[in-house]
Amino acid sequence: LGVVGSVFSCRVAAYAVMSNHLHVVVRMDPTVATQWSAEEVVRRWWMLFPGRGRVLADGSALAADPVAVTRQAADAAWVAQRRGRLCHLSWFMKALKEGISRRANREDDCTGAFWEARFTSVPLLDEGALMACMAYVDLNPIRAGMADRPERSAHTSARTRIAARQRARAVQRIRAEVPAGKQTRALERAGVTDATAPGANGRAESGLWLAPVSTCLRRVPVDDYLSLLDATGRAVKAGKRGAIPPHLAPILARLEIRLDDWLGLVTGSGLFSRGCIGSAASRAQEATRRGVDWVRSRCSAFLGGTRARPAAA
């Protein structure tokens, strides 16, 4: 979805990939496509529809040959048609679904239709509708009982935004609290090795292929949107299996606790001098291996208590 969303002239506001369906909140933006050069249109199109002879064994496209790009860009009618398609919802869905179906059929060694139907499109007419739909999509795994909170909901825009937000917060804290000479090492330990990664410059939604919440919902900060998700997800809905447990702390508090623990791990000293780092189950296995009653966890980021006793034989 990220590749398709970055190739088309559109803005993806939310998504959720479920076990047997997916949701996408997207706005097609033809004005952006009009600014592309002919060569840019060719390169974008060939990223998704490379044609014969330009596909690797795994189904991905070969890098576009500059000479071929220039030759194709000279065909004004071809370029005009593809420019229009790259800002059309039906072609967006075709590009998204076709890649998935081809890969699934290739992995299952079969042919035929993969999707039950084409797709259903529902227009969102105002900001309230957009906000409600974004929240509905991001909470889909929770309502289905597949996760109990947004930060654990795999394959959703909420989790993508949270990951970028946490990276940005880590960068901010490291720059503010770690001596200048040790910041590079601390950033590397925190996994911030790519300056272009989402949130790597210290801004929560920079570098994301998703449209920032603040541009979708009239300058609503991402933290406010996450708080809205958390409050909505706690409401028990009739006919739905899941909800965010009421005993959990608010999402921003949960994320800050995890961030404190993580920064303690990556910037602390003497972490590996005694004890070990790992989940309670992993530490119980290590205690059994060592022949001791328990081993101490050196970092509270790994939940499950500070002691882990071996299981009874």
Side-chain angles (χ1 to χ4, degrees):
L1 179 57
V3 173
V4 176
S6 63
V7 168
F8 272 76
S9 178
C10 68
R11 293 188 294 171
V12 178
Y15 75 91
V17 180
M18 307 295 285
S19 59
N20 61 356
H21 68 281
L22 59 85
H23 296 282
V24 183
V25 180
V26 60
R27 178 181 180 181
M28 308 311 294
D29 191 353
T31 59
V32 174
T34 61
Q35 302 171 15
W36 295 337
S37 66
E39 289 78 7
E40 180 69 10
V41 171
V42 175
R43 283 191 290 268
R44 286 175 176 266
W45 185 261
W46 281 355
M47 284 181 66
L48 299 175
F49 304 100
R52 292 182 180 179
R54 290 194 292 267
V55 181
L56 298 174
D58 63 356
S60 60
L62 285 167
D65 175 44
V67 175
V69 169
T70 302
R71 186 185 307 116
Q72 187 64 67
D75 187 340
W78 186 96
V79 170
Q81 183 187 59
R82 270 59 180 186
R83 191 190 302 274
R85 290 178 178 178
L86 287 171
C87 54
H88 197 285
L89 178 60
S90 291
W91 278 93
F92 173 90
M93 293 304 298
K94 173 183 171 63
L96 176 60
K97 295 173 62 178
E98 185 175 287
I100 296 172
S101 59
R102 287 184 181 277
R103 178 172 178 176
N105 284 349
R106 186 166 56 248
E107 292 177 352
D108 295 340
D109 192 23
C110 65
T111 59
F114 176 78
W115 299 93
E116 182 178 337
R118 192 164 175 257
F119 67 90
T120 299
S121 175
V122 180
L124 305 177
L125 304 182
D126 53 37
E127 187 176 89
L130 175 59
M131 182 183 297
C133 195
M134 288 173 63
Y136 170 85
V137 168
D138 275 327
L139 291 172
N140 238 233
I142 292 170
R143 294 305 188 201
M146 299 170 62
D148 66 349
R149 63 199 76 176
E151 60 267 37
R152 293 183 179 176
S153 299
H155 314 302
T156 63
S157 47
R159 184 165 177 174
T160 299
R161 294 187 193 282
I162 287 170
R165 186 251 190 206
Q166 293 300 86
R167 185 181 292 109
R169 293 284 292 169
V171 169
Q172 293 170 7
R173 294 276 294 276
I174 288 172
R175 289 175 177 171
E177 299 174 10
V178 178
K182 298 181 179 180
Q183 287 185 8
T184 300
R185 181 58 177 163
L187 290 170
E188 290 176 353
R189 286 182 174 180
V192 187
T193 56
D194 183 357
T196 63
N201 63 358
R203 294 196 293 271
E205 296 193 277
S206 64
L208 277 177
W209 60 270
L210 287 166
V213 170
S214 57
T215 63
C216 297
L217 302 174
R218 293 186 185 178
R219 300 180 297 279
V220 172
V222 66
D223 281 7
D224 288 357
Y225 175 70
L226 295 179
S227 296
L228 170 69
L229 275 187
D230 203 55
T232 306
R234 291 172 189 269
V236 178
K237 189 174 181 181
K240 298 296 183 180
R241 287 175 286 176
I244 297 174
H247 68 270
L248 290 180
I251 186 170
L252 298 185
R254 297 199 306 269
L255 296 181
E256 285 305 299
I257 291 170
R258 299 295 292 167
L259 180 59
D260 285 340
D261 291 340
W262 174 248
L263 287 174
L265 173 65
V266 300
T267 64
S269 60
L271 284 174
F272 307 105
S273 59
R274 293 182 300 167
C276 62
I277 297 176
S279 67
S282 297
R283 286 183 279 117
Q285 292 181 353
E286 176 64 10
T288 300
R289 188 189 70 81
R290 296 185 187 183
V292 298
D293 288 340
W294 59 275
V295 290
R296 179 184 178 189
S297 172
R298 296 297 302 175
C299 180
S300 58
F302 294 85
L303 303 180
T306 58
R307 295 189 176 191
R309 296 183 180 277

